[in-house]
């Protein structure tokens, strides 16, 4: 990109690019563990940004990160991920089918995660948080959908902690909304705005738990989700307790607010129109 961008400019071409490294925690990790590589990457990016006309990013946090890297504000446009809100809808029928398939009793709370299983996602914190819940008062099962290099370690951790957990492996994308519908709580212990957050907001089935940080650009604590102080198991446990203590009315309102936010801000037809306007 650095090599070819000056050529594009000489040919009077417009360059529109998207800032997709939406994990601030991953950037900090790179800086701490591979400082020289981080500095080289920063230099390359700054050279490239000089030739770019517009850079899109998903959120205010992404915009602030780019501005810290020296990108002029006038070059930055916020364009979030687009969600198929007409398909990502809660299905009571699918929920009942999956509960029957996994032999989950009606009074059991399903805490879930869907996505890649890699080390720096801090997925082990979900198990550690659940392990200290009083399961005598509340039946709980974990559902982990997806796969990745960390899956084996997570399976061992679940076994060591004695947590009732189902690992489904990868599933067809057409079934994603069904598994979201199965869950009562969705925990995403990562400081990012991955597409799954938008999907959960659209589904308005499980109540979403995210750590403080980038996710707060979309999530307001107690309004359309629950925000944990951090990914620390103790903080996630407090967030889970907060969800369990919600009244049915409060829970329903949060789910309604999730759906409204997705339709008004993340619907893919709306985002497509914004892309066309930008182009």
């Amino acid at each position: 990109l650095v090599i070819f961008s000056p050529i594009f400019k000489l040919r009077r071409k417009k360059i529109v690019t998207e800032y997709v490294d939406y994990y601030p925690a991953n950037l900090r990790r790179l800086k701490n563990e591979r400082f020289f590589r981080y500095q080289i990457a920063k230099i390359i990016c700054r050279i490239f940004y000089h030739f770019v006309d517009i850079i899109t990013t998903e959120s205010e946090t992404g915009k602030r990160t780019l501005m810290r890297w020296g990108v002029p504000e006038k070059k930055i446009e916020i364009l979030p991920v687009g969600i198929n809100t007409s398909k990502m809808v809660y299905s009571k029928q699918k929920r009942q089918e999956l509960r029957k398939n996994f032999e989950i009793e009606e009074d059991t709370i399903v805490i879930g995660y869907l996505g890649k299983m890699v080390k720096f996602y801090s997925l082990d914190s979900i198990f550690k948080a659940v392990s200290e819940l009083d399961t005598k008062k509340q039946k709980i099962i974990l559902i982990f959908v997806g796969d990745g290099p960390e899956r084996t370690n997570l399976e061992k951790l679940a076994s060591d902690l004695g947590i009732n957990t189902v690992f489904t492996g990868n599933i067809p994308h057409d079934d994603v909304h069904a598994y979201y519908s199965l869950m009562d709580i969705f925990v995403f212990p990562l400081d990012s705005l991955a597409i799954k957050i938008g999907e959960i907001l659209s589904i308005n089935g499980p109540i979403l738990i995210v750590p403080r940080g980038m996710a707060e650009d979309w999530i307001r604590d107690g309004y359309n989700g629950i925000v944990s102080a951090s990914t620390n198991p103790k903080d996630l446990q407090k967030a889970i307790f907060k969800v369990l203590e919600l009244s049915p009315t409060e829970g329903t309102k949060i789910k309604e607010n999730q759906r409204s936010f997705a339709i008004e801000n993340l619907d893919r037809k709306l985002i497509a129109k914004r892309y066309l306007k930008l182009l």
Side-chain angles (χ1 to χ4, degrees), residues 1-165:
L1 292 174
V2 171
I3 293 171
F4 286 103
S5 55
I7 298 173
F8 295 150
K9 297 307 292 184
L10 287 172
R11 295 183 63 192
R12 298 184 180 181
K13 300 292 185 181
K14 297 288 187 181
I15 300 177
V16 179
T17 190
E18 183 177 8
Y19 175 62
V20 295
D21 193 350
Y22 42 68
Y23 303 131
N26 198 26
L27 283 175
R28 290 192 295 269
R29 188 170 64 94
L30 180 63
K31 184 176 181 180
N32 293 334
E33 298 177 7
R34 300 284 188 273
F35 184 73
F36 180 73
R37 186 183 298 180
Y38 175 84
Q39 294 298 332
I40 295 297
K42 188 163 66 172
I43 292 170
I44 290 173
C45 287
R46 283 182 171 172
I47 294 172
F48 176 59
Y49 293 161
H50 177 75
F51 295 99
V52 170
D53 294 279
I54 293 292
I55 301 176
T56 66
T57 185
E58 289 191 317
S59 70
E60 286 290 341
T61 299
K63 180 178 179 179
R64 290 194 296 269
T65 300
L66 288 167
M67 290 176 66
R68 283 198 299 270
W69 279 35
V71 180
E73 185 175 6
K74 64 181 181 181
K75 286 190 174 186
I76 306 171
E77 290 282 344
I78 297 177
L79 279 174
V81 63
I83 302 298
N84 186 352
T85 57
S86 63
K87 182 174 182 178
M88 287 296 163
V89 178
Y90 175 82
S91 172
K92 185 176 181 180
Q93 179 184 345
K94 294 292 185 181
R95 174 185 171 87
Q96 291 174 338
E97 289 175 1
L98 287 175
R99 290 185 81 99
K100 183 177 180 180
N101 290 344
F102 293 122
E103 299 180 346
I104 301 173
E105 298 177 6
E106 280 301 316
D107 60 344
T108 299
I109 299 295
V110 179
I111 299 177
Y113 168 81
L114 184 150
K116 290 184 291 186
M117 300 181 194
V118 293
K119 190 171 184 178
F120 73 90
Y121 277 27
S122 301
L123 297 176
D124 60 324
S125 61
I126 300 177
F127 292 88
K128 293 173 183 177
V130 171
S131 69
E132 297 185 20
L133 293 174
D134 188 352
T135 53
K136 293 179 181 178
K137 292 183 178 180
Q138 182 69 67
K139 296 179 184 177
I140 292 175
I141 185 172
L142 288 184
I143 299 287
F144 266 57
V145 184
D147 213 335
E150 193 66 10
R151 176 175 171 175
T152 301
N153 292 332
L154 294 176
E155 288 176 333
K156 184 178 185 304
L157 180 61
S159 177
D160 292 344
L161 295 174
I163 300 173
N164 187 12
T165 309

